[in-house]
Amino acid sequence: MNYGFYAQPYKDFPNVLEAIVRWGSFSCIGLFLMATGYLQCNKKPTRTYYKNIYKYVIPFILFSALTAIIVNGTANVAKNSMYYIFQFPGYYWYMSFFFGFYLLIPYFNAMIEHLEKRQFIFLIVALLAVTAVPEFWNSIPAMFKGEKQIFLPNWWKEFFPLTYYALGAYFRKFQPRLSKGILLAVSGHSCGHVIA
């Protein structure tokens, strides 16, 4: 964000390597959302559930004020804090997303609660088809002579948290066993310790 990474073209190997490292590191968001799906997929829309949002709102307000002091000093803490609380600049976008997602989780759970395994798999495939495949395809550099001619509509890309959440919920509900080959691909040489 700060040195123009998003605007640079993929012209040579160092640029591609930067992108690989960046997207590899980016996976932590997906893992967090999958863990959220795994842990929250049984939540119901109860008063207690919604009252517990304060556990996230209060730290967010405190960190916003702290950020305002660190970035802008103490001249106008209240005004600068309001900026971070309500404008969600930079990486604060995540909190803007999180509060809305928190409110919707019980209702998404109600939609997926009675899905059979096959239906759940179709849901995940459909979510991947609309949230991931078009964005992946459109992000591939033009490896052909001239410019890439085919782009896929990617309006749904912003709904990627639902895809990760559904994956986590699927693992919680059906507890699938992964093959040793998949575990080996994911965890490399430490796979033997995981399987043992």
Side-chain angles (χ1 to χ4, degrees), residues 40 43-59 98-99 102-103:
Q40 302 290 321
K43 295 293 183 184
K44 308 287 185 192
T46 63
R47 180 177 296 182
T48 302
Y49 174 81
Y50 285 111
K51 279 170 59 176
N52 283 336
I53 199 169
Y54 79 90
K55 294 178 181 178
Y56 309 102
V57 172
I58 291 173
F98 177 79
F99 291 131
Y102 187 90
L103 298 175

Side-chain angles (χ1 to χ4, degrees), residues 52-142:
N52 283 336
I53 199 169
Y54 79 90
K55 294 178 181 178
Y56 309 102
V57 172
I58 291 173
F60 172 67
I61 291 171
L62 294 174
F63 282 118
S64 296
L66 183 61
T67 302
I69 292 169
I70 292 170
V71 173
N72 301 82
T74 56
N76 199 338
V77 175
K79 179 182 176 184
N80 293 331
S81 296
M82 291 298 120
Y83 170 73
Y84 286 99
I85 291 170
F86 293 109
Q87 296 297 316
F88 302 102
Y91 289 106
Y92 272 63
W93 72 266
Y94 185 76
M95 296 311 296
S96 171
F97 148 75
F98 177 79
F99 291 131
F101 197 53
Y102 187 90
L103 298 175
L104 296 174
I105 280 175
Y107 298 100
F108 189 66
N109 290 344
M111 290 189 303
I112 64 175
E113 182 178 8
H114 301 292
L115 291 180
E116 298 171 0
K117 187 173 185 178
R118 187 182 179 94
Q119 294 170 325
F120 214 129
I121 291 171
F122 283 144
L123 170 66
I124 291 171
V125 169
L127 285 169
L128 285 169
V130 298
T131 64
V133 172
E135 183 66 9
F136 174 76
W137 170 258
N138 294 346
S139 299
I140 294 175

Side-chain angles (χ1 to χ4, degrees), residues 182-193:
I182 292 174
L183 289 174
L184 182 61
V186 171
S187 59
H189 62 69
S190 61
C191 178
H193 302 294

